[in-house]
């Protein structure tokens, strides 16, 4: 992924005229220009009137929707600073076909690669096959859309600042939101890609999930159907952790959540009213309205970093430099950019707040959002214990806040009340604390054992697994994982203690349940065996936990930061309950449930 994910073209209805402006990042000295484009819809009388009518209609509609409207709770994967994005899982068609999609508040179309694509890259999942879905229908050509060459089907086109693009046809099918969702599958319009270029071609994620303001946005479609409230929330995991959660629909705002007004008529992007910034308790000396120029301050979940107006960037970076003058300035990881980086802060991310200053964003209503160091720093990829500013300058007046600013922050896009809420929290832990019932069931899982076939009940769901034991009162005593790791730098050996914490977070178990059993190495290649054991107060792993772990291993859902190098899950085993001491487990232990990957 490129350093930013900024849109060069966007659509309103199906295809709409847009107007763009250039952002150029400027280094503090000897700068290198980074051209970017942030498109915004042409602000016209008809456009504003159309949006006003849409908003009025939705306000009237929402007043009739029951408070018991379901939500779609969806888990987020990947890591913002390693991958450049966060993804969620979406299922399209009947039977459902699964996709990993980048969650993007700056896009208004959801799209996936189509089986007929003439130029699409190799992504995480197979391409969508319309012919295999009994519920797929093309969106037929009509006066409100651009049509294909045969004048039969509506088309879409997306072009991005890093010289990548996506184009294809529009189709409609049943969309499912996963096992944790209360919301039943719904019909929705999406893009079926016939062409990808640039980063869209080479990225691991399959496509984009458009959450912006626009009639093709998945949020707008669900709201217009009356199946969710006019709101959604995102919670990005923090530095070094990744993951998180997304909720499509309304949640009850926590008492200490702070809000900023968001003007839907200023632009189709989600904006906030940012007034001032404080560093270490001191207000930056800037002209009034510096964060309100042109299109104001925009939130874009598909952009990695943040971009301030030039004067604001200089004042901010200078304030940070004064507070950490005792750290050594070093060059950034990419010689093409004059990044502001520091060494000597240590590898422990949890201790950064003792070294780097607190930053506060002050809204027009006087409310303050506290930013931790992880909200304005990224880890140096070539120097251990070094960090760089994740805030850059642009030559335009608009302020753009990417995902880095809202890591470990629950952000609620309360579209029905024209406001955006913020609450600092542990987003990786939030997923474990939030759960819904009534989830649709996935297909059964079948595992081969030496003596018989055991089928796990088809009512499994990671957030609500059946409390009964497995068939035949089978109890799982522990689970082993064999993982291969290849590092690019022989001087940076894997931090197994840190990796154990990440594994516990990915598998949603307590840290003490994950134990390193064995490590063998050959140069930069490692083969590591881990054990997942019962909690201290239990004799075996509960069925709920065991089946949840097995689901995640089966679906290759574990994601780790890029600095750990390339990893592959080679093998895993689920062992029956036995009477033994955990540190006597060896590689020769016989397995009852076994899966080779």
């Amino acid at each position: 992924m490129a350093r930013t994910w900024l849109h060069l073209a966007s659509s309103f209805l199906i295809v709409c005229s847009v107007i763009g402006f250039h952002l150029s990042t400027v280094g503090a000295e000897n700068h290198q220009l980074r051209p970017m484009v942030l498109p915004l819809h042409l602000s016209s009388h008809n456009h504003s009137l159309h949006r006003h009518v849409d908003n009025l209609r939705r306000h009237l509609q929402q007043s009739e929707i029951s408070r018991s409207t379901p939500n779609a709770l969806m888990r987020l994967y990947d890591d913002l600073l390693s991958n450049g994005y966060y993804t969620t899982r979406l299922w399209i068609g009947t039977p459902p076909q699964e996709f990993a999609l980048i969650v993007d508040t700056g896009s208004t179309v959801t799209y996936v690669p189509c089986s007929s694509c003439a130029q699409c890259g190799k992504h995480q999942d197979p391409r969508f096959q319309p012919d295999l879905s009994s519920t797929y229908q093309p969106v037929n050509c009509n006066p409100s859309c651009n049509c294909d060459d045969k004048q039969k089907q509506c088309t879409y086109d997306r072009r991005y600042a890093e010289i990548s693009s996506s184009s294809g046809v529009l189709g409609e099918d049943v969309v499912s939101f996963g096992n944790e969702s209360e919301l039943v599958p719904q019909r929705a319009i999406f893009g079926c890609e016939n062409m990808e270029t640039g980063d869209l071609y080479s990225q691991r994620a399959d496509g984009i999930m458009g959450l912006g303001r626009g009639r093709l946005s998945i949020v707008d479609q669900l709201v217009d159907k009356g199946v969710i409230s006019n709101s959604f929330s995102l919670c990005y995991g923090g530095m070094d952790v990744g993951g998180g959660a997304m909720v499509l629909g309304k949640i009850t705002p926590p008492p200490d959540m702070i809000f900023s007004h968001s003007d839907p008529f200023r632009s189709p992007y989600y904006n906030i009213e940012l007034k001032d910034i404080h560093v270490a308790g001191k207000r930056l000396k800037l002209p009034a309205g510096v964060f309100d120029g042109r299109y104001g301050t925009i939130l874009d979940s598909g952009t990695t970093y943040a971009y301030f107006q030039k004067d604001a960037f200089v004042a901010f970076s200078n304030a940070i430099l004064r507070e950490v003058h005792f750290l050594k300035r070093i060059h950034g990881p990419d010689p093409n950019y004059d990044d502001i980086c520091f060494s000597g802060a240590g590898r422990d991310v949890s201790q950064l707040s003792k070294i780097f200053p607190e930053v506060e964003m002050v809204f027009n209503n006087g409310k303050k959002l506290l930013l931790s160091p992880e909200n304005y720093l990224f880890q140096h990829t070539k120097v251990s214990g070094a960090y760089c500013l994740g805030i850059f300058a642009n030559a335009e007046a608009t302020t753009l806040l990417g995902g880095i600013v809202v890591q470990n922050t629950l952000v609620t896009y309360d579209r029905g009340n024209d406001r955006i809420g913020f609450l600092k929290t542990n987003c990786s832990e939030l997923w474990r604390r939030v759960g819904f019932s009534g989830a649709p069931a996935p297909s059964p899982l079948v595992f081969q054992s030496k003596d018989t076939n055991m089928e796990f009940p088809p009512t499994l769901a990671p957030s609500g697994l059946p409390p009964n034991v497995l068939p035949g009162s089978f109890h799982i005593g522990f689970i082993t994982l064999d993982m291969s790791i290849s590092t690019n730098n022989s001087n940076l050996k894997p931090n197994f203690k840190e990796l154990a914490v990440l594994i516990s977070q990915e598998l949603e178990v307590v840290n003490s349940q994950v134990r390193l059993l064995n490590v063998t190495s050959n140069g930069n290649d490692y083969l590591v065996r881990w054990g997942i054991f019962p909690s201290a107060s239990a004799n075996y792993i509960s069925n709920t936990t065991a089946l949840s772990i097995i689901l995640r291993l089966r679906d290759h859902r574990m994601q780790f930061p890029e600095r750990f190098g390339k990893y592959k899950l080679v093998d895993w085993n689920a062992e029956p309950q036995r009477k033994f001491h955990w540190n006597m487990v060896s590689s020769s232990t016989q397995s009852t449930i076994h899966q080779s990957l």
Side-chain angles (χ1 to χ4, degrees):
M1 287 295 293
R3 173 154 291 190
T4 58
W5 188 264
L6 302 175
H7 309 279
L8 179 62
S10 190
S11 66
F12 186 66
L13 293 178
I14 294 181
V15 174
C16 179
S17 297
V18 298
I19 185 169
F21 66 90
H22 292 276
L23 297 173
S24 297
T25 60
V26 184
E29 52 188 349
N30 300 322
H31 59 264
Q32 162 100 22
L33 293 180
R34 294 183 237 195
M36 297 178 293
V37 177
L38 176 63
L40 294 165
H41 293 283
L42 183 63
S43 183
S44 66
H45 174 73
N46 290 337
H47 164 72
S48 297
L49 178 61
H50 189 90
R51 187 169 292 281
H52 176 73
V53 172
D54 267 359
N55 273 23
L56 179 60
R57 172 176 55 80
R58 289 197 180 105
H59 276 295
L60 293 173
Q61 181 186 45
Q62 289 296 303
S63 66
E64 299 174 358
I65 293 179
S66 168
R67 291 187 177 183
S68 61
T69 302
N71 292 332
L73 172 63
M74 306 173 72
R75 185 175 181 180
L76 298 182
Y77 300 92
D78 298 301
D79 178 81
L80 180 71
L81 301 183
S82 295
N83 303 92
Y85 52 72
Y86 285 96
T87 61
T88 191
R89 307 297 288 187
L90 203 67
W91 289 259
I92 302 175
T94 306
Q97 301 174 44
E98 185 177 4
F99 300 95
L101 303 182
I102 298 170
V103 293
D104 190 357
T105 60
S107 184
T108 56
V109 177
T110 295
Y111 54 82
V112 298
C114 212
S115 59
S116 59
C117 184
Q119 182 177 308
C120 285
K122 184 178 181 181
H123 301 295
Q124 185 168 331
D125 298 288
R127 299 175 183 178
F128 178 70
Q129 302 185 59
D131 294 342
L132 296 184
S133 174
S134 62
T135 48
Y136 175 80
Q137 292 180 346
V139 176
N140 295 327
C141 187
N142 62 75
S144 62
C145 76
N146 284 353
C147 300
D148 59 12
D149 294 338
K150 298 180 181 179
Q151 298 297 303
K152 289 185 177 181
Q153 193 168 355
C154 291
T155 63
Y156 79 96
D157 187 272
R158 279 289 187 279
R159 298 183 185 277
Y160 298 91
E162 72 281 0
I163 319 300
S164 64
S165 65
S166 169
S167 58
V169 296
L170 291 174
E172 184 182 21
D173 208 335
V174 174
V175 174
S176 304
F177 305 96
N179 295 330
E180 288 78 19
S181 174
E182 287 181 330
L183 181 64
V184 298
Q186 301 289 328
R187 293 197 66 85
I189 294 173
F190 65 99
C192 201
E193 286 185 304
N194 287 327
M195 177 73 72
E196 294 176 337
T197 65
D199 285 345
L200 287 175
Y201 181 89
S202 59
Q203 71 187 15
R204 185 169 182 264
D206 299 311
I208 298 289
M209 184 175 184
L211 302 172
R213 291 184 175 121
R215 289 185 172 180
L216 285 182
S217 163
I218 190 68
V219 178
D220 284 66
Q221 292 188 62
L222 296 176
V223 170
D224 287 344
K225 288 176 178 288
V227 295
I228 66 169
S229 298
N230 195 10
S231 178
F232 69 94
S233 300
L234 290 171
C235 202
Y236 286 173
M239 182 187 292
D240 247 5
V241 179
M246 174 172 68
V247 179
L248 300 180
K250 183 179 180 180
I251 63 173
T252 302
D256 46 354
M257 174 172 276
I258 63 171
F259 288 90
S260 170
H261 176 68
S262 183
D263 185 356
F265 305 109
R266 186 165 187 173
S267 80
Y269 288 85
Y270 297 108
N271 51 68
I272 59 174
E273 295 179 342
L274 179 61
K275 182 181 180 181
D276 290 314
I277 290 182
H278 296 173
V279 175
K282 302 172 185 177
R283 176 184 173 275
L284 298 183
K285 295 180 180 180
L286 293 167
V290 69
F291 299 108
D292 196 41
R294 202 166 188 183
Y295 299 103
T297 297
I298 294 171
L299 288 176
D300 185 1
S301 69
T303 295
T304 308
Y305 300 108
Y307 299 84
F308 289 175
Q309 181 267 355
K310 183 179 179 181
D311 291 339
F313 166 74
V314 172
F316 178 82
S317 58
N318 285 342
I320 298 294
L321 288 169
R322 285 193 297 269
E323 295 297 324
V324 294
H325 59 87
F326 49 88
L327 295 178
K328 181 182 178 181
R329 285 284 302 275
I330 61 173
H331 293 293
D334 189 338
N336 293 317
Y337 303 108
D338 187 26
D339 292 329
I340 299 175
C341 302
F342 317 88
S343 66
R347 296 179 59 179
D348 191 345
V349 173
S350 66
Q351 301 300 308
L352 291 182
S353 59
K354 297 179 180 179
I355 301 171
F356 291 90
E358 287 185 348
V359 173
E360 290 177 316
M361 288 189 168
V362 185
F363 302 139
N364 280 3
N365 58 14
K367 300 295 185 181
K368 297 179 180 179
L369 173 63
L370 176 65
L371 302 186
S372 304
E374 67 177 348
N375 299 124
Y376 61 84
L377 297 174
F378 65 91
Q379 288 180 312
H380 200 296
T381 55
K382 296 182 179 179
V383 180
S384 179
Y387 303 85
C388 305
L389 280 187
I391 312 291
F392 302 98
N394 64 58
E396 297 290 340
T398 295
T399 299
L400 179 65
L401 304 181
I404 189 173
V405 175
V406 291
Q407 287 186 116
N408 273 335
T409 305
L410 174 63
V411 182
T412 294
Y413 296 79
D414 187 356
R415 298 159 24 124
N417 293 306
D418 296 335
R419 63 179 187 170
I420 296 178
F422 302 87
L423 176 72
K424 292 294 294 183
T425 187
N426 186 325
C427 289
S428 299
E429 292 292 333
L430 179 70
W431 175 259
R432 307 182 194 187
R433 299 195 302 266
V434 179
F436 295 119
S437 59
S443 57
L445 298 178
V446 178
F447 300 95
Q448 299 290 330
S449 72
K450 291 184 177 180
D451 303 318
T452 184
N453 287 342
M454 278 197 305
E455 181 176 294
F456 291 164
T459 53
L460 305 181
S463 64
L465 297 170
N468 56 295
V469 298
L470 295 174
S473 298
F474 184 93
H475 288 174
I476 290 181
F478 66 98
I479 298 171
T480 60
L481 322 175
D482 289 338
M483 177 189 301
S484 66
I485 301 175
S486 297
T487 61
N488 297 324
N489 189 340
S490 60
N491 295 324
L492 292 177
K493 296 182 179 180
N495 185 330
F496 293 112
K497 182 178 179 181
E498 186 179 3
L499 191 55
V501 173
L502 292 174
I503 291 174
S504 70
Q505 292 169 344
E506 289 294 305
L507 298 182
E508 299 186 359
V509 297
V510 178
N511 293 351
S512 61
Q513 291 181 251
V514 179
R515 296 162 187 169
L516 180 64
L517 300 182
N518 189 47
V519 179
T520 58
S521 63
N522 181 13
N524 294 347
D525 299 325
Y526 298 82
L527 182 62
V528 188
R529 169 162 290 188
W530 300 91
I532 314 298
F533 292 85
S535 60
S537 59
N539 295 322
Y540 57 87
I541 300 175
S542 69
N543 288 338
T544 299
T545 301
L547 296 179
S548 176
I549 291 172
I550 290 171
L551 280 172
R552 299 187 191 287
L553 296 177
R554 182 203 66 168
D555 295 340
H556 298 268
R557 294 294 178 81
M558 291 200 303
Q559 301 288 336
F560 302 123
E562 195 175 79
R563 67 177 183 282
F564 284 102
K566 298 179 180 179
Y567 97 94
K568 181 180 180 180
L569 191 59
V570 179
D571 187 74
W572 61 265
N573 295 283
E575 307 285 349
Q577 179 188 5
R578 297 178 180 179
K579 294 181 179 179
F580 61 87
H581 193 272
W582 72 266
N583 60 13
M584 295 179 65
V585 179
S586 68
S587 59
S588 61
T589 307
Q590 297 296 314
S591 63
T592 300
I593 304 178
H594 175 80
Q595 178 70 39
S596 294
L597 303 174

